Amino acid sequence: MLDMKVREDRWVRAAQVARRSGADVGLVEQVLFLQTLPPWERLARGIGRSRLGKVSRA
Amino acid sequence: MPDQIAGMTAEEVELLRSLVGDGIRFMVVGMSAAILQKVPGVTQDIDLWFARGQSDELSVACRKAGATYYWRAVPPGIAGPGIDQIDVVWHCHGLGDFEEEYARSEEVEMAPGLFVRVLPLERILVSKRAAGRPKDKAVLPMLRDAIKALKDLRGRGED
């Protein structure tokens, strides 16, 4: 349930950023998620996704 | 945390630590640099752009990490056990020379305790646009929107 709340809040925030910046809301949501990770985890996902397909996103 | 979790092998992390430790001047460019800066993209390799004139030092730093810098190939590269994602770059389309771009580079913690310079997103966008291959063109909208979003967040002190 906590996970759902985190996602919900992130989408609300993403919608606000998208409205202000003109960026795509789905892209903004991903940026906001990546913002919560250390850089090396972002890289791991970027490389992991290209090699292993989709990686689940909490 | 084991280095492998960083998306790189332990050998690749060791190589990067050796390069930084020996004061080799380089920066991460391309999609791996974009991903490190929060762009939700994908990549298969890590492109490192090196300043010219440091081949000897580069060879030594690679050897310390159990790798080899092979310079008599076009393009030159770095090879060794466990090292298969590192690509050597000497020029980036559409950008200035290394010194000019290095002066604008930003620092990112690429693995725990390992700080490297990365090409800023705005410059990655310029280089991708100039390179113009289908795979470069495909990431342009993503880079543009990520830049917009991060600019907005920074403007509000949220990044």
Side-chain angles (χ1 to χ4, degrees):
Chain A
M1 287 308 285
L2 179 63
D3 199 37
M4 289 296 287
K5 177 80 174 88
V6 169
R7 282 188 182 197
E8 229 176 78
D9 289 349
R10 198 162 62 220
W11 274 106
V12 170
R13 211 170 142 225
Q16 292 165 344
V17 174
R19 199 165 44 244
R20 287 195 304 263
S21 67
D24 175 75
V25 66
L27 186 285
V28 176
E29 191 270 342
Q30 290 181 324
V31 168
L32 290 175
F33 167 69
L34 291 174
Q35 202 180 32
T36 67
L37 302 177
W40 57 87
E41 288 289 345
R42 294 175 205 145
L43 185 62
R45 282 171 177 265
I47 290 176
R49 274 182 187 168
S50 67
R51 294 191 166 185
L52 305 171
K54 190 177 177 186
V55 175
S56 68
R57 190 150 45 92
Chain B
M1 187 181 81
D3 283 334
Q4 287 88 339
I5 291 174
M8 298 175 280
T9 63
E11 291 86 352
E12 286 164 340
V13 174
E14 183 59 32
L15 171 68
L16 289 166
R17 289 193 196 282
S18 182
L19 295 175
V20 171
D22 276 18
I24 302 296
R25 298 175 68 244
F26 71 96
M27 58 186 147
V28 185
V29 299
M31 277 313 290
S32 49
I35 291 165
L36 285 165
Q37 295 172 87
K38 310 182 187 89
V39 173
V42 295
T43 189
Q44 292 181 321
D45 46 44
I46 298 163
D47 294 333
L48 305 182
W49 186 5
F50 290 92
R52 291 191 181 276
Q54 47 180 4
S55 291
D56 290 345
E57 295 87 347
L58 188 48
S59 293
V60 171
C62 288
R63 273 203 299 275
K64 282 182 190 171
T68 303
Y69 168 58
Y70 54 94
W71 55 274
R72 294 186 75 174
V74 181
I78 297 173
I83 294 172
D84 64 354
Q85 298 180 115
I86 307 280
D87 281 349
V88 174
V89 171
W90 294 103
H91 168 76
C92 281
H93 289 282
L95 300 185
D97 64 19
F98 179 88
E99 297 304 333
E100 191 182 332
E101 299 299 338
Y102 191 76
R104 306 179 199 201
S105 67
E106 294 171 13
E107 192 173 66
V108 167
E109 191 175 8
M110 194 169 179
L114 173 65
F115 292 88
V116 299
R117 309 298 302 185
V118 298
L119 191 67
L121 289 180
E122 289 79 4
R123 303 304 291 162
I124 296 172
L125 178 62
V126 170
S127 70
K128 289 286 178 191
R129 199 182 282 139
R133 298 166 298 182
K135 72 169 191 168
D136 299 308
K137 289 180 182 170
V139 299
L140 294 180
M142 178 171 60
L143 283 168
R144 274 196 294 262
D145 274 17
I147 289 168
K148 282 186 205 168
L150 288 165
K151 203 173 187 179
D152 177 84
L153 289 164
R154 274 183 204 133
R156 302 173 73 85
E158 295 174 22
D159 180 51

